[in-house]
Amino acid sequence: MTTADGHDGHLDDPIEDFSHRLVDVDGVVKTVHVAGSGPAVVLMPEMPGISPDVLRLARWVRDAGFTVHVPSLFGPDGAYPTVAEGEKVVRRACVSAEFRAFAGGGTSPVTAWLRELARRAHAECGGPGVGAIGLCFTGNFALTMALEPAVVAPVLGHPSLPLDDPAGLEIGVEDARAVRDRVTRDGLKVLAYRFDNDRWCTGQRFAAYRALLGDAFDGRVLPGSAANPAPPPFFRDMVETPHSVVTAHFVDENGHPTVRARDEILAFLTDRLLPAENCEDQAAS
């Protein structure tokens, strides 16, 4: 039964097993939820915010041996994704100066803040570098974060920007050239996921990534029939398509395609970031 607030009987996540930091980058202060030990991984939320499903993914990353950093970029942290709240968050984000939601805008300015977060996380946690996982609205941010040399394991989860150009990449020309240079110079590899019938992250977009990055782009496509048929209301009524491979449309069954995708992401991070010196758990910071 759906309650008056649209929660479908589900609860918000209180995020009690993370520390909560205020991170100031050039006067822009954001909350970052941190847990675990080991090399750093920055996990960015999908619309409409840091949902319980995003936090479930964060805990999987933590439990795989990493210090996961989840920055609050939009929406109420820990909230179950309802339609009413989700509509408000999407409207605010689409007109925010921090994001470039539509074609022609180039790289979203918030990625500069995220790159500095990655740099600081690497300095704190050590290891060969930092992982970056983007989801939906932030999907391509993981690629742009690779402009920071510390980022060595970018994962693009169903990247959805720009919203009005299915073949667009939400990255400026100079930034795109710089990322491609990293592929040539450093052997950077990029892992990405989408469902085959996702109307927000299309085959055209994956083709554009391939054109930019060549064989360094490993775009993996799951059948839409594998998506969770009963996601939270925001995804059911607003997204209206298989979309969130390892969060809202994840199916927690042994051998399921979304479980394999989750395990592949953790293996990708492990291959590039471990073994390394563990940093101490900063939960008390």
Side-chain angles (χ1 to χ4, degrees):
M1 175 181 293
T2 301
T3 59
D5 58 5
H7 274 59
D8 283 353
H10 293 267
L11 299 175
D12 297 343
D13 190 318
I15 328 183
E16 293 175 340
D17 51 336
F18 288 68
S19 65
H20 314 287
R21 307 177 181 179
L22 293 177
V23 177
D24 185 336
V25 176
D26 296 331
V28 177
V29 180
K30 296 183 183 298
T31 299
V32 180
H33 307 282
V34 183
S37 62
V41 175
V42 177
L43 170 60
M44 292 160 279
E46 64 186 353
M47 280 292 165
I50 302 175
S51 68
D53 286 331
V54 169
L55 289 163
R56 177 178 60 179
L57 176 58
R59 292 180 178 105
W60 285 329
V61 172
R62 174 198 65 192
D63 294 345
F66 302 102
T67 307
V68 64
H69 295 66
V70 188
S72 179
L73 303 180
F74 39 73
D77 297 350
Y80 181 72
T82 64
V83 173
E85 182 61 34
E87 285 179 331
K88 297 175 187 176
V89 174
V90 171
R91 286 197 212 101
R92 287 196 296 266
C94 284
V95 300
S96 169
E98 287 195 302
F99 304 105
R100 297 285 186 264
F102 301 104
T107 302
S108 288
V110 73
T111 57
W113 191 97
L114 291 163
R115 292 197 300 272
E116 177 60 17
L117 173 64
R119 189 192 67 78
R120 295 183 188 182
H122 184 224
E124 176 183 315
C125 294
V130 175
I133 304 174
L135 303 170
C136 178
F137 205 81
T138 67
N140 190 65
F141 295 0
L143 181 67
T144 309
M145 284 177 69
L147 294 170
E148 163 55 48
V151 175
V152 298
V155 179
L156 283 57
H158 46 283
S160 305
L161 299 187
L163 296 173
D164 57 343
D165 180 3
L169 295 187
E170 198 273 331
I171 188 170
V173 174
E174 292 298 322
D175 288 344
R177 185 178 298 116
V179 170
R180 190 170 57 216
D181 288 346
R182 275 212 68 192
V183 167
T184 302
R185 182 181 66 249
D186 303 333
L188 184 74
K189 301 293 184 183
V190 178
L191 183 61
Y193 287 88
R194 60 178 289 269
F195 285 112
D196 60 6
N197 57 344
D198 185 350
R199 68 188 178 96
W200 300 106
C201 180
T202 65
Q204 294 168 275
R205 181 156 293 145
F206 268 32
Y209 281 118
R210 170 71 68 165
L212 174 65
L213 303 172
D215 291 341
F217 178 71
D218 185 357
R220 304 185 183 187
V221 184
L222 280 65
S225 59
N228 175 12
F234 174 83
F235 295 90
R236 182 190 66 218
D237 298 339
M238 289 195 66
V239 177
E240 296 182 313
T241 181
H243 184 57
S244 301
V245 175
V246 290
T247 50
H249 289 101
F250 181 85
V251 178
D252 198 0
E253 297 175 358
N254 287 337
H256 192 273
T258 58
V259 171
R260 289 198 297 271
R262 185 270 315 271
D263 292 345
E264 289 164 1
I265 291 170
L266 296 178
F268 178 78
L269 296 172
T270 298
D271 181 63
R272 284 153 181 78
L273 303 177
L274 295 174
E277 291 184 9
N278 288 345
C279 69
E280 301 207 353
D281 191 352
Q282 300 294 318
S285 303

